[in-house]
Every structure is written in structure tokens, then in C-alpha cells.
Amino acid sequence: MSEPFLLGVLGGMGPLATLDFQRQLLEATPAQSDQQQLPSVVWNVPQIADRQKALAGTGPSPLPQLIHGIRVLNQAGASHIAIPCNTAHHWYEALSEASAAPILHIVDATLAALEQEANTPQRVGIIATKGTLDAGWYQQKLAAQGIEVVEPTPEELTQWFVPGCYAVKRGALKEGGELLAQQALALFARGAQKLILACTEVPVALQAVDAPFLHLTFDPAQALAERCSQLWQAN
Amino acid sequence: MSEPFLLGVLGGMGPLATLDFQRQLLEATPAQSDQQQLPSVVWNVPQIADRQKALAGTGPSPLPQLIHGIRVLNQAGASHIAIPCNTAHHWYEALSEASAAPILHIVDATLAALEQEANTPQRVGIIATKGTLDAGWYQQKLAAQGIEVVEPTPEELTQWFVPGCYAVKRGALKEGGELLAQQALALFARGAQKLILACTEVPVALQAVDAPFLHLTFDPAQALAERCSQLWQAN
């Protein structure tokens, strides 16, 4: 392809997670000057229907707005597209059909990174929205690698995950971090050796409370950023 | 205007400063949910001719690339455009002509914010590129308010500012911060009561070394972010 490399980022879900992803893109790229950093165009428009509510059947679908963002990124010249939001991957097929540029899948990037770990864990916990858990992408691909999956219970999601997530979204990072840390500890208590933080709000919040188990967590957005950076460097 | 609010950010100068500006946009906006945050589309393409070298006559002009970014942002639906790079404002007139959306001027935003300070300083230092200093925007507008300006000498720029700036651009924030702190202290020593950090690399670097005089500095990118957020909130 002679088309120049330009990463389109379909962000805004939420706006803070989009910034965190951009920081991960910078950190993943060894650069001695501005010019060596990965070029990107970022659609960071958070006025988008709530993904969790849409999948619970209590709100409108975000698909038309997601497709609009994908079209803007294509028009801007994106050669590849990344979506730093696990739940939005529910609409991955429809978005791929609407996009000339290929969309990198966050689950594929995560599993590829997990495969490269020195000691592959036997049991992995997943912190994610009900939408991501119901979709089953992580569970199926982990099972295919012989890895047992530990999931939050519906009660845990209601008590810790959902309020933790919405706390982050209103900027209360510490409050969110403390709730999400409870969720994480419950998964460790049920035998998880590592955790996949499969919702882009979670790593930001756990860092804000300096959670002591961060070295046992795996951030899909970071895996996606590293995959994007590899493509840019090989360009 | 019935056109929806969408901030276009002409970034990439450098990519880290562009992220810092996006963080300032979030912080300037009181939001209880993702949906209340300012919507933006960000052109973060650092493969752009070096502004300092272009103005020194030792490199090509970045204008064609800047105009391309402005066109992409307009095409994406930007209702307003912000450029979180002081030096790039050298091409402000030409960019405004190429843009249907109005471009907010970083110097106007800064001076408006300075006017609202409780105790207006008598003498203000400016840390900026030679291009920004030669353009004289800050000096003229400060003088019009009866404020005396303290500028870096050419020797100081060579010894501290320029190497400090390029250190930031290659990710060496602490090294850059130490050099730029020397520049700042020299301006305080010549009587500056406050400093305008009129190059978007400088605040990031001074924060990285936790400079003890940060409360005496003024960040034009932050003033610009606050202006953008006011427009969004009044929308």
C-alpha cells in the first residue's frame, strides 16, 4: 500500500480513557523527535448513547453515532482504526463493514500479548461490562488456549463494577478506584492469578488508588496501543 | 448557529503537548457524565516541518501541512478550532483564511485570563521560542496593558530553552525540565513576578521536575482550554 500510515481512533467512550490510550500510543513508540511519533486523528466525541444501557435494552443504540465517527476517520485519511473501548466491540462487524480502513480488534491484540507472557496463567479473571461478558469474546479465546476464566457475579457487577465505572466517568477517580479494587480482590479470592481489565475505565481508576496488585493485571487498551505502534514502526 | 459544537484541535506540535491540552479541556469542564464533556476531533500528526527551524530560515515551511490539518478538521465538522502551539500562531492569518470554522487565538485567551487575575503583575517574563518572541504578540498586548516584559536573551535560549524543548520532544521530561527551570530562574532574577510559559512543551516539563515556582507561572494552553470549555458550556 502506498497510502500513508494514519491511525484513526474512535474514542469518547469515555473521553478520559481516550486520553489514556493516546498516552499509551506515545509510550509504546520509541521516538527521538516529534516526527517519529505515531500520527493519529482522534474522534473524541462523548455525546454517544450509553453502551451499557443499550446492551441492557434500557437505552438507544450507539451504532449510528459510531458509524458516523468511523466515516469521519475514513474521510480524514485513516489507514487503520482502533477503538479503545471493549464494550463498543459489540458492534465490531457492523463498523468493519462501514469502514474502508481495517479496524484492529482489541481482543485479538490482548490475546496475542497474553500469549507472549513468560508464564501463561492457568486462571484469568475478567473485569468488564455485562455487555462485554455476555459477548463472550475473551472467555472463548481464553478457553481455546486452555485458560480457565473467572468472571464477576451479577451481584458484584451491581455492587462494585457499575458504580465504580460511573464514578470514573464523572471524574471521581479515587472513589471509582476503591470500588473497582473490591471487584478485583473478589476475583483474586476465587483463584484468578491475573486479571484482564477489559473496560478502559478500570486501569485509570486502579492507578489512581495505586492498587497493590497492578502488576498482576493486563490492560487490553495497552495491548491495542502496542499493536498500533508495531504497525507504525514497521511502516 | 444551528451547527453542533465540535472543537477541532490542530495538534501534533508536539504530540505530548496535544495530550496535555486535551487533559486541560477535561479538567476545565465540570461534568457528571461522559456526555457532558466537550466533544472534539484531534489532528495529532507530528510529521510536520519543524516550526522553530522554519522561522530561523533553516527548514521548510510547515504551512502546507498545517492547512491540510485545518481542512480535515473543517471536513470533520469542527465548529471552532484551537491550536495548542504558540509558535504555530505565526501562520494564524493564513490558517484563518483556509478555515470556515473560527480559530481561537492562544494569545487573546491568555491575555483575557491574565486580566481576570486579582493582582495584575507589573513585570511578566515570557518563555517562548525565538519565533514567538520575534512575532511580538505577547509583548505588544502586555505593553498595551502597562505590563513590562522580561524576555530570555539569545544566549539563554541557546543554553537552556532550545535544548530543554528538544529534550521534551524526545521524551526526556526531567532533563528538559531542569534546563527550562534554569531559564525560568534567570527571568525571575531579572525581576519577573510571573512567567507566561508560551511554549506548550514547557509546562509539562516543569511539572515533571516539580518546579517550586509553578504557582507563579501562567499556561497559555490552559487559558485556551478554559476558553474552549466556556464556549462549550455556553453552547
Side-chain angles (χ1 to χ4, degrees), chain A residues 24 86 106-119 121 124-127 138 142 188 193-200 202-203 206-207 213-224 226:
Chain A
Q24 289 167 329
N86 286 271
I106 197 167
V107 180
D108 291 341
T110 304
L111 272 284
L114 198 65
E115 270 179 29
Q116 288 172 0
E117 293 258 289
N119 295 311
V124 167
I126 304 178
I127 299 188
Y138 283 103
L142 288 167
F188 283 126
Q193 295 157 325
K194 288 220 167 183
L195 297 186
I196 296 180
L197 309 181
C199 172
T200 40
V202 180
L206 291 180
Q207 281 156 25
F213 50 78
L214 276 175
H215 62 292
L216 298 175
T217 65
F218 211 81
D219 179 357
Q222 187 178 338
L224 184 61
E226 285 168 3

mmCIF file of all heavy atoms in Angstrom, chain A residues 24 86 106-119 121 124-127 138 142 188 193-200 202-203 206-207 213-224 226:
data_model
loop_
_atom_site.group_PDB
_atom_site.id
_atom_site.type_symbol
_atom_site.label_atom_id
_atom_site.label_comp_id
_atom_site.label_asym_id
_atom_site.label_seq_id
_atom_site.Cartn_x
_atom_site.Cartn_y
_atom_site.Cartn_z
ATOM 1 N N GLN A 24 -0.682 5.839 25.951
ATOM 2 C CA GLN A 24 -0.086 4.525 25.729
ATOM 3 C C GLN A 24 0.531 4.423 24.337
ATOM 4 O O GLN A 24 1.554 3.760 24.148
ATOM 5 C CB GLN A 24 -1.148 3.440 25.943
ATOM 6 C CG GLN A 24 -1.520 3.295 27.413
ATOM 7 C CD GLN A 24 -2.768 2.463 27.632
ATOM 8 O OE1 GLN A 24 -3.674 2.445 26.802
ATOM 9 N NE2 GLN A 24 -2.820 1.760 28.752
ATOM 10 N N ASN A 86 -13.769 -1.616 25.083
ATOM 11 C CA ASN A 86 -14.105 -3.029 24.884
ATOM 12 C C ASN A 86 -15.553 -3.218 24.481
ATOM 13 O O ASN A 86 -15.853 -3.936 23.525
ATOM 14 C CB ASN A 86 -13.833 -3.819 26.172
ATOM 15 C CG ASN A 86 -12.357 -4.025 26.417
ATOM 16 O OD1 ASN A 86 -11.778 -4.996 25.956
ATOM 17 N ND2 ASN A 86 -11.726 -3.101 27.127
ATOM 18 N N ILE A 106 -9.619 -5.312 19.690
ATOM 19 C CA ILE A 106 -8.935 -5.203 20.983
ATOM 20 C C ILE A 106 -8.724 -6.572 21.634
ATOM 21 O O ILE A 106 -7.713 -6.783 22.326
ATOM 22 C CB ILE A 106 -9.719 -4.238 21.923
ATOM 23 C CG1 ILE A 106 -8.849 -3.775 23.101
ATOM 24 C CG2 ILE A 106 -11.035 -4.852 22.385
ATOM 25 C CD1 ILE A 106 -9.445 -2.603 23.880
ATOM 26 N N VAL A 107 -9.623 -7.521 21.384
ATOM 27 C CA VAL A 107 -9.465 -8.853 21.990
ATOM 28 C C VAL A 107 -8.315 -9.603 21.326
ATOM 29 O O VAL A 107 -7.497 -10.249 22.003
ATOM 30 C CB VAL A 107 -10.777 -9.662 21.922
ATOM 31 C CG1 VAL A 107 -10.576 -11.030 22.560
ATOM 32 C CG2 VAL A 107 -11.904 -8.913 22.625
ATOM 33 N N ASP A 108 -8.199 -9.502 20.016
ATOM 34 C CA ASP A 108 -7.085 -10.159 19.320
ATOM 35 C C ASP A 108 -5.750 -9.609 19.809
ATOM 36 O O ASP A 108 -4.801 -10.360 20.047
ATOM 37 C CB ASP A 108 -7.196 -9.912 17.800
ATOM 38 C CG ASP A 108 -8.397 -10.646 17.206
ATOM 39 O OD1 ASP A 108 -8.890 -11.589 17.846
ATOM 40 O OD2 ASP A 108 -8.845 -10.251 16.111
ATOM 41 N N ALA A 109 -5.672 -8.268 19.967
ATOM 42 C CA ALA A 109 -4.425 -7.658 20.428
ATOM 43 C C ALA A 109 -4.083 -8.146 21.833
ATOM 44 O O ALA A 109 -2.925 -8.433 22.143
ATOM 45 C CB ALA A 109 -4.554 -6.128 20.411
ATOM 46 N N THR A 110 -5.110 -8.290 22.685
ATOM 47 C CA THR A 110 -4.884 -8.715 24.070
ATOM 48 C C THR A 110 -4.417 -10.162 24.139
ATOM 49 O O THR A 110 -3.452 -10.487 24.842
ATOM 50 C CB THR A 110 -6.193 -8.571 24.881
ATOM 51 O OG1 THR A 110 -6.632 -7.224 24.773
ATOM 52 C CG2 THR A 110 -5.977 -8.925 26.342
ATOM 53 N N LEU A 111 -5.090 -11.020 23.395
ATOM 54 C CA LEU A 111 -4.721 -12.438 23.439
ATOM 55 C C LEU A 111 -3.324 -12.663 22.855
ATOM 56 O O LEU A 111 -2.555 -13.477 23.371
ATOM 57 C CB LEU A 111 -5.770 -13.300 22.715
ATOM 58 C CG LEU A 111 -6.946 -13.788 23.573
ATOM 59 C CD1 LEU A 111 -6.510 -14.940 24.464
ATOM 60 C CD2 LEU A 111 -7.590 -12.700 24.402
ATOM 61 N N ALA A 112 -2.988 -11.911 21.808
ATOM 62 C CA ALA A 112 -1.652 -12.029 21.223
ATOM 63 C C ALA A 112 -0.599 -11.630 22.249
ATOM 64 O O ALA A 112 0.455 -12.270 22.366
ATOM 65 C CB ALA A 112 -1.548 -11.161 19.964
ATOM 66 N N ALA A 113 -0.888 -10.563 23.017
ATOM 67 C CA ALA A 113 0.069 -10.126 24.033
ATOM 68 C C ALA A 113 0.158 -11.142 25.167
ATOM 69 O O ALA A 113 1.246 -11.416 25.685
ATOM 70 C CB ALA A 113 -0.338 -8.752 24.565
ATOM 71 N N LEU A 114 -0.985 -11.717 25.549
ATOM 72 C CA LEU A 114 -1.012 -12.702 26.636
ATOM 73 C C LEU A 114 -0.193 -13.938 26.266
ATOM 74 O O LEU A 114 0.522 -14.509 27.097
ATOM 75 C CB LEU A 114 -2.474 -13.097 26.916
ATOM 76 C CG LEU A 114 -2.775 -13.766 28.257
ATOM 77 C CD1 LEU A 114 -2.515 -12.818 29.406
ATOM 78 C CD2 LEU A 114 -4.244 -14.229 28.305
ATOM 79 N N GLU A 115 -0.262 -14.318 24.996
ATOM 80 C CA GLU A 115 0.495 -15.488 24.522
ATOM 81 C C GLU A 115 1.995 -15.313 24.677
ATOM 82 O O GLU A 115 2.739 -16.283 24.770
ATOM 83 C CB GLU A 115 0.195 -15.737 23.036
ATOM 84 C CG GLU A 115 -0.983 -16.653 22.816
ATOM 85 C CD GLU A 115 -1.259 -16.838 21.332
ATOM 86 O OE1 GLU A 115 -0.327 -16.749 20.514
ATOM 87 O OE2 GLU A 115 -2.439 -17.063 20.982
ATOM 88 N N GLN A 116 2.432 -14.043 24.638
ATOM 89 C CA GLN A 116 3.868 -13.780 24.696
ATOM 90 C C GLN A 116 4.405 -13.685 26.118
ATOM 91 O O GLN A 116 5.609 -13.511 26.321
ATOM 92 C CB GLN A 116 4.191 -12.487 23.936
ATOM 93 C CG GLN A 116 4.061 -12.689 22.429
ATOM 94 C CD GLN A 116 4.193 -11.395 21.664
ATOM 95 O OE1 GLN A 116 4.377 -10.339 22.262
ATOM 96 N NE2 GLN A 116 4.103 -11.462 20.354
ATOM 97 N N GLU A 117 3.526 -13.795 27.124
ATOM 98 C CA GLU A 117 3.968 -13.759 28.518
ATOM 99 C C GLU A 117 4.843 -14.985 28.805
ATOM 100 O O GLU A 117 4.605 -16.075 28.274
ATOM 101 C CB GLU A 117 2.751 -13.821 29.456
ATOM 102 C CG GLU A 117 1.872 -12.609 29.395
ATOM 103 C CD GLU A 117 2.114 -11.678 30.567
ATOM 104 O OE1 GLU A 117 1.743 -12.029 31.686
ATOM 105 O OE2 GLU A 117 2.697 -10.591 30.334
ATOM 106 N N ALA A 118 5.843 -14.807 29.672
ATOM 107 C CA ALA A 118 6.748 -15.914 30.008
ATOM 108 C C ALA A 118 5.969 -17.046 30.694
ATOM 109 O O ALA A 118 6.044 -18.206 30.291
ATOM 110 C CB ALA A 118 7.860 -15.398 30.914
ATOM 111 N N ASN A 119 5.200 -16.696 31.735
ATOM 112 C CA ASN A 119 4.415 -17.704 32.447
ATOM 113 C C ASN A 119 2.936 -17.495 32.173
ATOM 114 O O ASN A 119 2.314 -16.631 32.779
ATOM 115 C CB ASN A 119 4.666 -17.610 33.954
ATOM 116 C CG ASN A 119 6.105 -17.954 34.284
ATOM 117 O OD1 ASN A 119 6.629 -18.975 33.834
ATOM 118 N ND2 ASN A 119 6.745 -17.085 35.053
ATOM 119 N N PRO A 121 -0.726 -17.712 32.690
ATOM 120 C CA PRO A 121 -1.506 -18.087 33.876
ATOM 121 C C PRO A 121 -2.510 -19.195 33.550
ATOM 122 O O PRO A 121 -2.910 -19.363 32.404
ATOM 123 C CB PRO A 121 -2.223 -16.788 34.247
ATOM 124 C CG PRO A 121 -2.253 -15.980 32.984
ATOM 125 C CD PRO A 121 -1.039 -16.358 32.211
ATOM 126 N N VAL A 124 -7.568 -16.893 34.715
ATOM 127 C CA VAL A 124 -7.552 -15.450 34.468
ATOM 128 C C VAL A 124 -8.919 -14.860 34.791
ATOM 129 O O VAL A 124 -9.947 -15.392 34.359
ATOM 130 C CB VAL A 124 -7.163 -15.157 32.994
ATOM 131 C CG1 VAL A 124 -7.447 -13.710 32.626
ATOM 132 C CG2 VAL A 124 -5.692 -15.476 32.766
ATOM 133 N N GLY A 125 -8.929 -13.783 35.574
ATOM 134 C CA GLY A 125 -10.171 -13.072 35.860
ATOM 135 C C GLY A 125 -10.401 -11.968 34.837
ATOM 136 O O GLY A 125 -9.453 -11.450 34.259
ATOM 137 N N ILE A 126 -11.672 -11.650 34.586
ATOM 138 C CA ILE A 126 -12.001 -10.579 33.644
ATOM 139 C C ILE A 126 -12.878 -9.553 34.345
ATOM 140 O O ILE A 126 -13.928 -9.907 34.886
ATOM 141 C CB ILE A 126 -12.784 -11.107 32.422
ATOM 142 C CG1 ILE A 126 -12.002 -12.215 31.734
ATOM 143 C CG2 ILE A 126 -13.055 -9.976 31.438
ATOM 144 C CD1 ILE A 126 -12.739 -12.800 30.558
ATOM 145 N N ILE A 127 -12.448 -8.295 34.337
ATOM 146 C CA ILE A 127 -13.302 -7.205 34.804
ATOM 147 C C ILE A 127 -13.823 -6.501 33.567
ATOM 148 O O ILE A 127 -13.033 -5.974 32.774
ATOM 149 C CB ILE A 127 -12.534 -6.214 35.703
ATOM 150 C CG1 ILE A 127 -12.000 -6.939 36.945
ATOM 151 C CG2 ILE A 127 -13.435 -5.056 36.118
ATOM 152 C CD1 ILE A 127 -11.388 -6.014 37.976
ATOM 153 N N TYR A 138 -13.677 -12.750 25.170
ATOM 154 C CA TYR A 138 -12.491 -13.086 25.966
ATOM 155 C C TYR A 138 -12.573 -14.539 26.446
ATOM 156 O O TYR A 138 -11.599 -15.286 26.362
ATOM 157 C CB TYR A 138 -12.357 -12.137 27.159
ATOM 158 C CG TYR A 138 -11.807 -10.771 26.786
ATOM 159 C CD1 TYR A 138 -12.640 -9.667 26.673
ATOM 160 C CD2 TYR A 138 -10.438 -10.591 26.561
ATOM 161 C CE1 TYR A 138 -12.139 -8.411 26.341
ATOM 162 C CE2 TYR A 138 -9.926 -9.337 26.227
ATOM 163 C CZ TYR A 138 -10.784 -8.261 26.120
ATOM 164 O OH TYR A 138 -10.274 -7.024 25.786
ATOM 165 N N LEU A 142 -9.821 -17.336 25.532
ATOM 166 C CA LEU A 142 -9.009 -17.842 26.636
ATOM 167 C C LEU A 142 -9.197 -19.353 26.761
ATOM 168 O O LEU A 142 -8.218 -20.094 26.936
ATOM 169 C CB LEU A 142 -9.390 -17.143 27.942
ATOM 170 C CG LEU A 142 -8.941 -15.683 28.063
ATOM 171 C CD1 LEU A 142 -9.634 -15.001 29.239
ATOM 172 C CD2 LEU A 142 -7.418 -15.582 28.220
ATOM 173 N N PHE A 188 -9.562 -12.324 42.590
ATOM 174 C CA PHE A 188 -8.346 -12.989 43.107
ATOM 175 C C PHE A 188 -8.747 -14.038 44.153
ATOM 176 O O PHE A 188 -8.205 -15.140 44.186
ATOM 177 C CB PHE A 188 -7.394 -11.962 43.744
ATOM 178 C CG PHE A 188 -6.612 -11.136 42.747
ATOM 179 C CD1 PHE A 188 -6.632 -9.747 42.794
ATOM 180 C CD2 PHE A 188 -5.827 -11.751 41.772
ATOM 181 C CE1 PHE A 188 -5.905 -8.984 41.891
ATOM 182 C CE2 PHE A 188 -5.092 -10.996 40.862
ATOM 183 C CZ PHE A 188 -5.134 -9.608 40.915
ATOM 184 N N GLN A 193 -5.289 -15.715 38.836
ATOM 185 C CA GLN A 193 -3.860 -15.414 39.019
ATOM 186 C C GLN A 193 -3.495 -14.090 38.353
ATOM 187 O O GLN A 193 -2.554 -13.420 38.770
ATOM 188 C CB GLN A 193 -3.023 -16.554 38.434
ATOM 189 C CG GLN A 193 -3.234 -17.870 39.186
ATOM 190 C CD GLN A 193 -2.886 -19.070 38.342
ATOM 191 O OE1 GLN A 193 -3.107 -19.070 37.128
ATOM 192 N NE2 GLN A 193 -2.352 -20.093 38.987
ATOM 193 N N LYS A 194 -4.219 -13.764 37.322
ATOM 194 C CA LYS A 194 -4.062 -12.466 36.643
ATOM 195 C C LYS A 194 -5.441 -11.944 36.281
ATOM 196 O O LYS A 194 -6.389 -12.727 36.178
ATOM 197 C CB LYS A 194 -3.220 -12.609 35.363
ATOM 198 C CG LYS A 194 -1.755 -12.867 35.628
ATOM 199 C CD LYS A 194 -0.890 -12.082 34.662
ATOM 200 C CE LYS A 194 0.562 -12.074 35.105
ATOM 201 N NZ LYS A 194 1.414 -11.266 34.230
ATOM 202 N N LEU A 195 -5.530 -10.633 36.069
ATOM 203 C CA LEU A 195 -6.807 -10.031 35.693
ATOM 204 C C LEU A 195 -6.676 -9.296 34.375
ATOM 205 O O LEU A 195 -5.716 -8.534 34.180
ATOM 206 C CB LEU A 195 -7.267 -9.016 36.743
ATOM 207 C CG LEU A 195 -7.566 -9.495 38.163
ATOM 208 C CD1 LEU A 195 -8.146 -8.344 38.959
ATOM 209 C CD2 LEU A 195 -8.525 -10.677 38.131
ATOM 210 N N ILE A 196 -7.650 -9.508 33.492
ATOM 211 C CA ILE A 196 -7.756 -8.673 32.293
ATOM 212 C C ILE A 196 -8.721 -7.535 32.628
ATOM 213 O O ILE A 196 -9.876 -7.782 32.989
ATOM 214 C CB ILE A 196 -8.268 -9.479 31.081
ATOM 215 C CG1 ILE A 196 -7.252 -10.579 30.720
ATOM 216 C CG2 ILE A 196 -8.496 -8.561 29.885
ATOM 217 C CD1 ILE A 196 -7.668 -11.438 29.537
ATOM 218 N N LEU A 197 -8.232 -6.292 32.552
ATOM 219 C CA LEU A 197 -9.053 -5.114 32.881
ATOM 220 C C LEU A 197 -9.755 -4.670 31.600
ATOM 221 O O LEU A 197 -9.366 -3.690 30.961
ATOM 222 C CB LEU A 197 -8.180 -4.002 33.452
ATOM 223 C CG LEU A 197 -7.266 -4.434 34.616
ATOM 224 C CD1 LEU A 197 -6.451 -3.244 35.115
ATOM 225 C CD2 LEU A 197 -8.072 -5.052 35.750
ATOM 226 N N ALA A 198 -10.814 -5.422 31.225
ATOM 227 C CA ALA A 198 -11.394 -5.296 29.893
ATOM 228 C C ALA A 198 -12.462 -4.224 29.801
ATOM 229 O O ALA A 198 -13.495 -4.404 29.154
ATOM 230 C CB ALA A 198 -11.936 -6.650 29.432
ATOM 231 N N CYS A 199 -12.209 -3.113 30.492
ATOM 232 C CA CYS A 199 -13.049 -1.932 30.348
ATOM 233 C C CYS A 199 -12.083 -0.771 30.543
ATOM 234 O O CYS A 199 -11.374 -0.720 31.555
ATOM 235 C CB CYS A 199 -14.154 -1.930 31.400
ATOM 236 S SG CYS A 199 -15.077 -0.375 31.400
ATOM 237 N N THR A 200 -12.025 0.135 29.575
ATOM 238 C CA THR A 200 -10.945 1.127 29.555
ATOM 239 C C THR A 200 -10.989 2.097 30.728
ATOM 240 O O THR A 200 -10.025 2.819 30.954
ATOM 241 C CB THR A 200 -10.911 1.882 28.207
ATOM 242 O OG1 THR A 200 -12.250 2.142 27.790
ATOM 243 C CG2 THR A 200 -10.216 1.066 27.156
ATOM 244 N N VAL A 202 -11.197 1.063 33.850
ATOM 245 C CA VAL A 202 -10.685 0.377 35.041
ATOM 246 C C VAL A 202 -9.200 0.651 35.327
ATOM 247 O O VAL A 202 -8.849 0.996 36.453
ATOM 248 C CB VAL A 202 -10.993 -1.147 34.958
ATOM 249 C CG1 VAL A 202 -10.463 -1.875 36.173
ATOM 250 C CG2 VAL A 202 -12.498 -1.379 34.814
ATOM 251 N N PRO A 203 -8.298 0.516 34.328
ATOM 252 C CA PRO A 203 -6.882 0.745 34.645
ATOM 253 C C PRO A 203 -6.628 2.164 35.179
ATOM 254 O O PRO A 203 -5.876 2.334 36.136
ATOM 255 C CB PRO A 203 -6.182 0.539 33.295
ATOM 256 C CG PRO A 203 -7.112 -0.299 32.495
ATOM 257 C CD PRO A 203 -8.483 0.053 32.938
ATOM 258 N N LEU A 206 -7.709 2.201 38.864
ATOM 259 C CA LEU A 206 -6.855 1.414 39.760
ATOM 260 C C LEU A 206 -5.502 2.086 39.937
ATOM 261 O O LEU A 206 -4.900 2.021 41.010
ATOM 262 C CB LEU A 206 -6.687 -0.020 39.230
ATOM 263 C CG LEU A 206 -7.952 -0.887 39.276
ATOM 264 C CD1 LEU A 206 -7.653 -2.284 38.736
ATOM 265 C CD2 LEU A 206 -8.512 -1.001 40.697
ATOM 266 N N GLN A 207 -5.015 2.771 38.892
ATOM 267 C CA GLN A 207 -3.771 3.538 39.038
ATOM 268 C C GLN A 207 -3.970 4.701 39.995
ATOM 269 O O GLN A 207 -3.076 5.037 40.774
ATOM 270 C CB GLN A 207 -3.303 4.055 37.675
ATOM 271 C CG GLN A 207 -2.598 2.986 36.833
ATOM 272 C CD GLN A 207 -2.665 3.277 35.337
ATOM 273 O OE1 GLN A 207 -2.810 4.419 34.925
ATOM 274 N NE2 GLN A 207 -2.584 2.238 34.532
ATOM 275 N N PHE A 213 -2.006 -4.598 43.414
ATOM 276 C CA PHE A 213 -1.961 -5.789 42.548
ATOM 277 C C PHE A 213 -1.862 -5.406 41.064
ATOM 278 O O PHE A 213 -2.122 -6.232 40.195
ATOM 279 C CB PHE A 213 -3.211 -6.651 42.793
ATOM 280 C CG PHE A 213 -4.488 -5.852 42.736
ATOM 281 C CD1 PHE A 213 -5.036 -5.477 41.519
ATOM 282 C CD2 PHE A 213 -5.115 -5.436 43.905
ATOM 283 C CE1 PHE A 213 -6.196 -4.726 41.455
ATOM 284 C CE2 PHE A 213 -6.275 -4.678 43.853
ATOM 285 C CZ PHE A 213 -6.811 -4.316 42.636
ATOM 286 N N LEU A 214 -1.474 -4.134 40.790
ATOM 287 C CA LEU A 214 -1.432 -3.685 39.391
ATOM 288 C C LEU A 214 -0.518 -4.552 38.522
ATOM 289 O O LEU A 214 -0.789 -4.741 37.337
ATOM 290 C CB LEU A 214 -0.975 -2.220 39.307
ATOM 291 C CG LEU A 214 -2.075 -1.166 39.518
ATOM 292 C CD1 LEU A 214 -1.482 0.225 39.537
ATOM 293 C CD2 LEU A 214 -3.153 -1.279 38.440
ATOM 294 N N HIS A 215 0.555 -5.104 39.129
ATOM 295 C CA HIS A 215 1.493 -5.934 38.345
ATOM 296 C C HIS A 215 0.862 -7.269 37.938
ATOM 297 O O HIS A 215 1.425 -7.990 37.127
ATOM 298 C CB HIS A 215 2.776 -6.160 39.139
ATOM 299 C CG HIS A 215 2.550 -6.904 40.429
ATOM 300 N ND1 HIS A 215 1.860 -6.357 41.493
ATOM 301 C CD2 HIS A 215 2.884 -8.154 40.802
ATOM 302 C CE1 HIS A 215 1.805 -7.241 42.485
ATOM 303 N NE2 HIS A 215 2.424 -8.336 42.086
ATOM 304 N N LEU A 216 -0.294 -7.579 38.506
ATOM 305 C CA LEU A 216 -0.988 -8.822 38.136
ATOM 306 C C LEU A 216 -2.157 -8.550 37.189
ATOM 307 O O LEU A 216 -3.009 -9.409 36.993
ATOM 308 C CB LEU A 216 -1.498 -9.535 39.398
ATOM 309 C CG LEU A 216 -0.412 -9.967 40.383
ATOM 310 C CD1 LEU A 216 -1.023 -10.547 41.649
ATOM 311 C CD2 LEU A 216 0.510 -11.005 39.722
ATOM 312 N N THR A 217 -2.190 -7.347 36.636
ATOM 313 C CA THR A 217 -3.296 -7.010 35.736
ATOM 314 C C THR A 217 -2.784 -6.839 34.315
ATOM 315 O O THR A 217 -1.593 -6.616 34.080
ATOM 316 C CB THR A 217 -4.006 -5.720 36.163
ATOM 317 O OG1 THR A 217 -3.088 -4.624 36.030
ATOM 318 C CG2 THR A 217 -4.507 -5.811 37.587
ATOM 319 N N PHE A 218 -3.711 -6.928 33.399
ATOM 320 C CA PHE A 218 -3.401 -6.870 31.980
ATOM 321 C C PHE A 218 -4.380 -5.878 31.362
ATOM 322 O O PHE A 218 -5.588 -6.000 31.546
ATOM 323 C CB PHE A 218 -3.598 -8.282 31.405
ATOM 324 C CG PHE A 218 -2.687 -8.543 30.283
ATOM 325 C CD1 PHE A 218 -1.372 -8.921 30.520
ATOM 326 C CD2 PHE A 218 -3.121 -8.357 28.987
ATOM 327 C CE1 PHE A 218 -0.504 -9.125 29.466
ATOM 328 C CE2 PHE A 218 -2.260 -8.561 27.934
ATOM 329 C CZ PHE A 218 -0.947 -8.952 28.174
ATOM 330 N N ASP A 219 -3.852 -4.884 30.651
ATOM 331 C CA ASP A 219 -4.683 -3.800 30.118
ATOM 332 C C ASP A 219 -4.867 -3.964 28.606
ATOM 333 O O ASP A 219 -3.936 -3.737 27.835
ATOM 334 C CB ASP A 219 -3.999 -2.467 30.446
ATOM 335 C CG ASP A 219 -4.774 -1.274 29.920
ATOM 336 O OD1 ASP A 219 -5.813 -1.479 29.251
ATOM 337 O OD2 ASP A 219 -4.334 -0.132 30.157
ATOM 338 N N PRO A 220 -6.063 -4.354 28.149
ATOM 339 C CA PRO A 220 -6.283 -4.548 26.708
ATOM 340 C C PRO A 220 -6.000 -3.290 25.888
ATOM 341 O O PRO A 220 -5.502 -3.385 24.764
ATOM 342 C CB PRO A 220 -7.763 -4.931 26.627
ATOM 343 C CG PRO A 220 -8.046 -5.574 27.938
ATOM 344 C CD PRO A 220 -7.235 -4.793 28.940
ATOM 345 N N ALA A 221 -6.298 -2.095 26.452
ATOM 346 C CA ALA A 221 -6.031 -0.875 25.688
ATOM 347 C C ALA A 221 -4.532 -0.724 25.437
ATOM 348 O O ALA A 221 -4.109 -0.291 24.365
ATOM 349 C CB ALA A 221 -6.567 0.346 26.432
ATOM 350 N N GLN A 222 -3.733 -1.134 26.439
ATOM 351 C CA GLN A 222 -2.283 -1.061 26.238
ATOM 352 C C GLN A 222 -1.835 -2.062 25.171
ATOM 353 O O GLN A 222 -0.993 -1.731 24.320
ATOM 354 C CB GLN A 222 -1.571 -1.332 27.560
ATOM 355 C CG GLN A 222 -0.067 -1.094 27.442
ATOM 356 C CD GLN A 222 0.651 -1.311 28.763
ATOM 357 O OE1 GLN A 222 0.037 -1.247 29.830
ATOM 358 N NE2 GLN A 222 1.943 -1.564 28.689
ATOM 359 N N ALA A 223 -2.409 -3.257 25.197
ATOM 360 C CA ALA A 223 -2.077 -4.242 24.163
ATOM 361 C C ALA A 223 -2.445 -3.702 22.780
ATOM 362 O O ALA A 223 -1.700 -3.861 21.812
ATOM 363 C CB ALA A 223 -2.807 -5.556 24.440
ATOM 364 N N LEU A 224 -3.595 -3.030 22.707
ATOM 365 C CA LEU A 224 -4.030 -2.447 21.429
ATOM 366 C C LEU A 224 -3.080 -1.325 20.997
ATOM 367 O O LEU A 224 -2.689 -1.249 19.825
ATOM 368 C CB LEU A 224 -5.459 -1.913 21.581
ATOM 369 C CG LEU A 224 -6.134 -1.342 20.338
ATOM 370 C CD1 LEU A 224 -6.264 -2.389 19.240
ATOM 371 C CD2 LEU A 224 -7.522 -0.773 20.676
ATOM 372 N N GLU A 226 0.063 -1.042 21.790
ATOM 373 C CA GLU A 226 1.340 -1.629 21.369
ATOM 374 C C GLU A 226 1.233 -2.223 19.967
ATOM 375 O O GLU A 226 2.163 -2.107 19.173
ATOM 376 C CB GLU A 226 1.798 -2.672 22.403
ATOM 377 C CG GLU A 226 2.322 -1.978 23.656
ATOM 378 C CD GLU A 226 2.524 -2.915 24.846
ATOM 379 O OE1 GLU A 226 2.312 -4.143 24.698
ATOM 380 O OE2 GLU A 226 2.886 -2.401 25.924
#
